[in-house]
Amino acid sequence: MVRNSVKFVPWKDYKELTADLKRIYQSVTEQEASLELDSFSEKWDEKYPQISKSWRANWVNLVTLFDYPTDIRKVIYTTNAIESLNSVIRKSVKTRKVFPSDDAALKVIYLAVEAASKKWTMPIRNWKSALNRFMIEFEEQLAPHI
């Protein structure tokens, strides 16, 4: 959401605007985030009205972030790993266009992820604290996999 918001923001406003957006998604509660969005709107709507309009239009989806503890939220809104994985999948599927079956498509995706995972050397930031929180919050769901 942040990348989409700053797509057309000139460099001179970029740092200040992203700092204000950060106050929204790093808020502790949904109410605090809503107040920060109002504050953002007052400050930036004259120059960039589409940003707050977009955040308000997607607010129902965005507030689900506040259902999770801070450790998990940091992993969620730091989406580089997710975007990297999506890129790998899109690239592998795009080159083949047509698959004889669903299993063939799954095999291509699996092999692409396997090949890409060998290149991933950087750990996800704050992953250990997030993993601990995942274990606390979702113990029943994770137990069979550990």
Side-chain angles (χ1 to χ4, degrees):
M1 191 70 195
V2 174
R3 284 190 186 136
N4 189 47
S5 297
V6 297
K7 196 183 299 183
F8 302 109
V9 175
W11 184 247
K12 68 179 184 141
D13 291 334
Y14 188 87
K15 281 188 176 185
E16 187 179 355
L17 189 135
T18 53
D20 291 340
L21 284 175
K22 198 176 207 180
R23 287 192 199 107
I24 299 169
Y25 66 80
Q26 287 188 341
S27 297
V28 177
T29 64
E30 178 183 342
Q31 292 78 18
E32 183 184 330
S34 181
L35 292 173
E36 290 294 345
L37 180 58
D38 292 340
S39 165
F40 179 89
S41 297
E42 288 173 18
K43 183 174 180 179
W44 293 104
D45 272 2
E46 193 172 312
K47 273 184 152 177
Y48 311 107
Q50 190 57 37
I51 296 173
S52 62
K53 187 177 180 181
S54 174
W55 279 67
R56 291 186 196 287
N58 292 294
W59 193 250
V60 174
N61 297 322
L62 293 170
V63 295
T64 58
L65 185 67
F66 299 104
D67 293 342
Y68 299 100
T70 306
D71 295 333
I72 294 175
R73 287 188 358 214
K74 283 182 183 176
V75 171
I76 292 172
Y77 66 66
T78 307
T79 60
N80 288 342
I82 296 167
E83 290 176 5
S84 173
L85 180 61
N86 285 337
S87 172
V88 166
I89 292 170
R90 274 194 309 273
K91 187 176 178 183
S92 66
V93 171
K94 185 179 177 182
T95 57
R96 287 163 185 82
K97 303 234 187 236
V98 178
F99 296 94
S101 68
D102 289 346
D103 286 341
L106 285 173
K107 185 175 182 180
V108 166
I109 292 170
Y110 173 79
L111 292 172
V113 170
E114 279 292 309
S117 66
K118 292 175 185 169
K119 297 177 188 174
W120 295 330
T121 56
M122 291 290 294
I124 296 172
R125 179 183 275 168
N126 302 319
W127 177 246
K128 289 187 179 189
S129 61
L131 184 58
N132 288 328
R133 182 52 71 172
F134 278 121
M135 290 301 297
I136 293 167
E137 298 288 326
F138 305 105
E139 183 177 1
E140 292 175 12
Q141 292 92 333
L142 293 174
H145 305 286
I146 295 177

